Amino acid sequence: MDDDALLAEQMAYYAAGAAEYDRQYAEYEALQKLLAVVDDLPIGGDVLELACGTGQWTLRLAERVRSVTAVDASPEVLAIARTRTASPTVQFLEADLFEWQPPRRYDIVFFAFWLSHVPPTRLADFWHTVATALAPGGKAIFIDDGPAAAAYEEVLANQPTPTALRRLNDGSQYRIVKVFHDAQTLTDDLTAQGWSVRIRPMAGNIIGIAEPPAAAG
């Protein structure tokens, strides 16, 4: 399966499972604690949130910044997000993040549990898009699964792109991109691209703050 087909299946998974998505936030205390981390991160001003999903993070961001532009490819999850976050300072946009280009710059580009869904072949282009979306002095802030989270996924072996199998309540199953980034390796990769980055582990997750190369944009 090539990356385009895998990404299409990934998008179908999130569309079909939109109504089930929030259950994990209600059931897992670790995720609830992770949401609270937003309050301790250097987030302010105008924020671009990539892959906002059902708005779990959007709600947290909106409480402490000037504005949030929240983007996702799935109209199904965006419908839930709009209900959860009815704020005049939040704008929701439906767009394919591998095609969409931000029309302006932001103080913060934030993404939670999205980096692991970006195929390695598209990672450099993704970071370039993030860099060009940041205003001078801006930062990328991200939260995701670390390597330990692989134990909780049905990882498929011998795939050209790191892949996991996800199942929904109705028994349907979907393949998704799932890259479990090691903090040190990701730090080294971003540093090689000119980013200044700090990544710390937290209970199986990684939390990163990165500033782009000076020449970005």
Side-chain angles (χ1 to χ4, degrees):
M1 173 177 285
D2 63 23
D3 284 351
D4 287 338
L6 184 57
L7 288 170
E9 192 166 332
Q10 176 172 281
M11 189 179 299
Y13 164 73
Y14 280 105
E20 301 175 25
Y21 185 81
D22 286 336
R23 186 179 61 194
Q24 59 188 323
Y25 285 91
E27 293 179 352
Y28 298 110
E29 184 179 355
L31 266 179
Q32 296 166 19
K33 290 181 178 179
L34 202 57
L35 280 170
V37 168
V38 169
D39 296 331
D40 298 322
L41 293 172
I43 297 175
D46 296 316
V47 175
L48 172 63
E49 183 187 7
L50 302 177
C52 67
T54 59
Q56 290 278 356
W57 301 90
T58 315
L59 180 61
R60 290 276 183 166
L61 295 170
E63 291 172 345
R64 57 195 309 269
V65 303
R66 182 167 53 240
S67 72
V68 181
T69 301
V71 187
D72 202 284
S74 169
E76 291 82 1
V77 298
L78 284 173
I80 297 171
R82 289 188 176 98
T83 300
R84 168 174 284 117
T85 316
S87 168
T89 63
V90 177
Q91 177 188 16
F92 289 101
L93 296 176
E94 180 186 336
D96 182 343
L97 293 178
F98 295 108
E99 302 291 340
W100 182 75
Q101 293 295 317
R104 52 162 292 191
R105 294 188 181 189
Y106 300 84
D107 301 301
I108 300 292
V109 176
F110 177 87
F111 38 102
F113 298 103
W114 169 245
L115 189 63
S116 57
H117 291 322
V118 178
T121 56
R122 304 194 183 198
L123 203 53
D125 286 343
F126 171 73
W127 282 112
H128 176 72
T129 297
V130 172
T132 56
L134 287 167
K139 296 178 177 65
I141 296 180
F142 54 94
I143 297 171
D144 217 309
D145 290 316
Y152 302 97
E153 292 275 4
E154 190 172 344
V155 178
L156 301 182
N158 303 317
Q159 303 296 309
T161 297
T163 304
L165 190 67
R166 293 274 182 89
R167 304 173 192 273
L168 297 177
N169 288 343
D170 64 2
S172 59
Q173 56 187 38
Y174 300 83
R175 287 162 293 189
I176 63 166
V177 177
K178 195 62 181 178
V179 183
F180 300 96
H181 288 283
D182 170 75
Q184 188 58 58
T185 302
L186 184 56
T187 298
D188 292 344
D189 289 347
L190 284 171
T191 300
Q193 296 178 42
W195 287 77
S196 174
V197 57
R198 291 169 288 148
I199 302 176
R200 63 183 174 95
M202 180 180 171
N205 300 112
I206 57 171
I207 301 170
I209 302 173
E211 298 179 39

